[in-house]
Amino acid sequence: MFGLMQDRPLLIQQLIEHAAQYHGDTEIVSRRVEGDIHRYTYRDARVRAKKVAEALVSLGIKTGDRIGTLAWNGYRHFELYFGISGIGAVCHTINPRLFPEQIVYIVNHAEDQLLFVDINLLPAVEKLLPEFKTVKHVVAMCDRAHLPKDLKIPNLLVYEELIADKPGTYEWPEFDERTASSLCYTSGTTGNPKGVLYSHRSTMLHAYGSALPDTLGLSARSVVLPVVPMFHVNAWGLPYSGPMVGAKLVFPGPHLDGKSVYELFETEKVTFTAGVPTVWLALLNHMQANKLKLSTLKYAVIGGSAAPPAMITTFAKEYGVEVLHAWGMSEMSPLGTVNHPKEKHLSLPEDELLALRLKQGRPPFGVDMKIVDDAGKALPHDGKAFGDLLVRGPWITRGYFKGEGGDPLKDGGWFPTGDVATIDPDGYMQITDRSKDVIKSGGEWISSIDLENAAMAHPAVAEAAVIGVAHPKWDERPLLIIHRKPGAEVTKDELVKFLSDKVAKWWLPDDVQFVDAIPHTATGKILKTRLREDFKNYKLPTA
Ligand code: AMP
């Protein structure tokens, strides 16, 4: 017997309708690529999203067509999220920081019909245009007055002109909630990028799950500034969970340096933000150098890479900001876990509470996790055993776009994350490594992340990376690679001594190398493949 409740499908366009209806005068503020600040409301955004939908239909775009965006966080990108998905087409967000060949590959693989491009990215697109096989029009995300001169882009359209004469009264169609809504290629460090294809249903369930109090805990009183880009896993879902709860949104545009982000925090009274550790490093440096304080910010989500302990304490002690350490991946829409201490943890001694906050957190309802050994046998959730982390749930991928890479699922429906983790009896998961990065010394695993975290706590260290280097006796031993803070001094011996009471003795790096910069991927993660390449022939002093 079926229940007798309505089967109304969960569709993304309902979010903008809800926000416009019940939070109509709540603001969306954007620092534009044009340089100024733009503000309007959810009510305005709804009309313009409908105009986008009408424009797409008039250009012949149909259900299932892929529409590419190369754009920063801003109101037009927000309108595209709803306008494109709302007609049943697929919003394909592209990371402009990828190598040109990767962008060409992705656009052609997705078979993008249109490309919506922010004006400062148009020159790059102009160069690549001859290699795009399916793109019929490039749409410049500006008005005529701001269009860069001398562009040689055939069939170029201008966003504001495209939507100007549309009525903005579009009736969103109702369709199956499993319809594809958006597409994001993962920033794999090897091989071709693979497309993760989200659906309306997965996106909506992810928005519900991420708004929960112990997940991101958003509400109509929140002022949310996603530093994490809208081209990277939909800005961690914030452009959906924001309108779901009626939060004010603040979009920072292309400039994510400490000064620009700080200014927006203060002028817009931001309470909640989210981004990768690299941007927070820039913000903290800016605030420290200029003796600035934060007056409204309460929560900073740190994800994408492990949150360094010094960052968690600095945010809390100097700025009164609670760090929510979070973990996820493109294949998980992206939210997997968020770290909120339970009541019993709040009375822990400071160092124990910090140790807890370093864990990546607990999953919201909707994400199931398990860890397994090399043979696929489930390991205990005792906080000690570590193994390959597998996940399942309604906002987790079951396969890549066009079947790339075959069926990724294991063991009857579990997605292998490629991360190695522990899970403790309270449900907190802690990443110890990427499975490819884990260092195997004498058959035992050494966690490169633990070592990096420990090294990052040294006051002279700006950034630390640990890789395994070949060793005749132990197979692999850790090499610590350090980028020092400007003007700071620290020697190899001082660093090893500093680490000696923080990690097991046999984990201590066999050598330390100092570099001018640590390479990063297009999404801000340490590019370990490059480091391994750079130090391929490196001979450890112990070898
Ligand atoms: P992406 O799909 O590009 O978002 O990358 C996902 C991967 O980033 C995960 O599988 C992890 O390896 C890594 N990652 C994300 N968040 C964290 C975190 N809080 N701590 C450590 N690694 C993380």
Side-chain angles (χ1 to χ4, degrees):
M1 183 168 30
F2 288 118
L4 288 173
M5 309 312 280
Q6 299 179 9
D7 276 331
R8 199 169 175 227
L10 294 168
L11 299 173
I12 285 170
Q13 54 271 34
Q14 292 155 1
L15 292 172
I16 193 74
E17 287 297 321
H18 173 85
Q21 203 144 30
Y22 303 106
H23 307 278
D25 56 4
T26 298
E27 275 189 315
I28 300 172
V29 180
S30 310
R31 177 174 276 143
R32 302 203 301 173
V33 185
E34 291 91 319
D36 55 352
I37 299 283
H38 173 274
R39 38 181 92 238
Y40 71 173
T41 64
Y42 276 122
R43 200 177 291 122
D44 304 323
R46 166 169 62 178
V47 175
R48 285 175 51 98
K50 284 175 185 261
K51 283 172 170 250
V52 168
E54 288 156 348
L56 293 171
V57 172
S58 74
L59 288 170
I61 300 302
K62 299 195 180 54
T63 305
D65 283 348
R66 274 79 66 200
I67 309 297
T69 67
L70 271 155
W72 312 105
N73 292 6
Y75 66 105
R76 292 192 185 102
H77 207 176
F78 180 77
E79 293 159 6
L80 288 167
Y81 267 40
F82 295 93
I84 296 171
S85 305
I87 68 166
V90 179
C91 181
H92 170 209
T93 52
I94 305 164
N95 183 344
R97 297 200 187 102
L98 293 173
F99 296 122
E101 339 42 291
Q102 287 179 309
I103 295 184
V104 169
Y105 172 85
I106 285 175
V107 168
N108 288 337
H109 189 269
E111 300 173 66
D112 290 328
Q113 303 291 303
L114 306 175
L115 273 188
F116 283 83
V117 183
D118 261 336
I119 46 179
N120 65 342
L121 300 169
L122 283 168
V125 167
E126 181 182 30
K127 284 204 200 89
L128 300 180
L129 207 56
E131 297 180 64
F132 295 153
K133 298 201 180 98
T134 53
V135 175
K136 299 197 181 87
H137 294 280
V138 170
V139 186
M141 292 169 69
C142 60
D143 55 18
R144 178 67 55 179
H146 288 93
L147 190 66
K149 304 277 175 285
D150 305 325
L151 282 174
K152 287 188 202 61
I153 299 184
N155 303 322
L156 181 72
L157 298 172
V158 176
Y159 190 97
E160 293 301 330
E161 291 176 357
L162 188 63
I163 66 168
D165 62 349
K166 301 295 178 293
T169 52
Y170 186 73
E171 294 280 333
W172 302 113
E174 220 171 72
F175 40 75
D176 192 313
E177 63 183 15
R178 292 167 302 176
T179 302
S181 58
S182 64
L183 176 64
C184 182
Y185 281 73
T186 55
S187 49
T189 42
T190 52
N192 278 326
K194 294 200 279 292
V196 182
L197 189 61
Y198 310 101
S199 70
H200 283 259
R201 174 184 153 82
S202 71
T203 305
M204 294 293 276
L205 292 175
H206 178 265
Y208 276 118
S210 43
L212 290 173
D214 261 7
T215 319
L216 302 183
L218 299 178
S219 82
R221 294 171 299 286
S222 307
V223 181
V224 177
L225 188 152
V227 176
V228 52
M230 291 171 78
F231 55 74
H232 187 205
V233 218
N234 302 321
W236 298 349
L238 292 168
Y240 303 115
S241 44
M244 179 175 266
V245 300
K248 170 178 166 179
L249 292 174
V250 183
F251 291 125
H255 305 297
L256 303 180
D257 57 284
K259 180 169 181 285
S260 307
V261 172
Y262 176 81
E263 272 170 18
L264 279 180
F265 281 164
E266 289 299 295
T267 53
E268 298 306 324
K269 301 189 170 35
V270 171
T271 63
F272 182 99
T273 186
V276 296
T278 327
V279 294
W280 302 134
L281 214 55
L283 174 77
L284 291 173
N285 285 342
H286 172 74
M287 292 194 299
Q288 274 158 0
N290 296 284
K291 304 199 170 26
L292 301 169
K293 289 286 168 202
L294 288 163
S295 34
T296 54
L297 191 68
K298 289 200 199 95
Y299 299 104
V301 180
I302 302 186
S305 299
M311 194 173 276
I312 298 178
T313 27
T314 309
F315 262 122
K317 288 201 169 152
E318 316 241 335
Y319 301 100
V321 174
E322 181 171 354
V323 164
L324 304 178
H325 191 190
W327 164 85
M329 54 197 311
S330 309
E331 289 89 336
M332 301 180 73
S333 303
L335 256 164
T337 59
V338 182
N339 192 323
H340 285 270
K342 293 183 178 178
E343 186 63 33
K344 64 178 177 185
H345 297 131
L346 293 174
S347 50
L348 284 174
E350 203 174 305
D351 54 334
E352 286 177 42
L353 184 54
L354 177 63
L356 178 88
R357 286 189 185 278
L358 286 179
K359 300 187 177 196
Q360 275 70 10
R362 291 177 282 117
F365 175 77
V367 176
D368 252 359
M369 306 188 302
K370 67 173 175 179
I371 43 174
V372 299
D373 65 13
D374 282 346
K377 191 168 97 22
L379 294 167
H381 293 189
D382 59 7
K384 293 189 190 80
F386 55 106
D388 290 316
L389 177 64
L390 307 185
V391 291
R392 66 176 179 191
W395 58 80
I396 296 165
T397 194
R398 63 181 156 90
Y400 295 97
F401 189 42
K402 296 186 175 173
E404 290 300 330
D407 176 5
L409 300 189
K410 286 196 169 160
D411 197 12
W414 292 82
F415 179 81
T417 62
D419 288 317
V420 177
T422 60
I423 302 175
D424 74 17
D426 285 314
Y428 291 79
M429 183 275 287
Q430 182 159 29
I431 303 273
T432 54
D433 243 311
R434 292 290 295 163
S435 48
K436 288 189 290 282
D437 295 342
V438 78
I439 300 162
K440 270 207 168 159
S441 174
E444 298 286 340
W445 284 1
I446 294 177
S447 156
S448 64
I449 293 187
D450 277 3
L451 274 173
E452 285 158 9
N453 273 341
M456 287 285 283
H458 191 285
V461 173
E463 199 170 17
V466 174
I467 56 169
V469 176
H471 190 283
K473 178 165 178 204
W474 301 109
D475 192 21
E476 271 186 341
R477 289 294 302 158
L479 168 69
L480 174 61
I481 301 161
I482 294 287
H483 172 210
R484 279 178 283 218
K485 284 190 185 153
E489 286 299 329
V490 61
T491 63
K492 168 187 166 179
D493 291 344
E494 283 162 358
L495 273 170
V496 174
K497 182 156 181 282
F498 178 77
L499 294 177
S500 59
D501 60 351
K502 297 178 180 65
V503 298
K505 191 162 179 296
W506 64 277
W507 281 27
L508 286 173
D510 284 29
D511 201 6
V512 181
Q513 283 287 308
F514 296 95
V515 294
D516 292 337
I518 292 196
H520 291 111
T521 67
T523 52
K525 295 182 213 308
I526 295 175
L527 190 52
K528 295 227 171 153
T529 45
R530 166 88 64 75
L531 287 175
R532 278 196 284 270
E533 188 59 33
D534 291 351
F535 289 93
K536 196 171 55 190
N537 299 318
Y538 187 75
K539 204 158 176 293
L540 288 166
T542 51

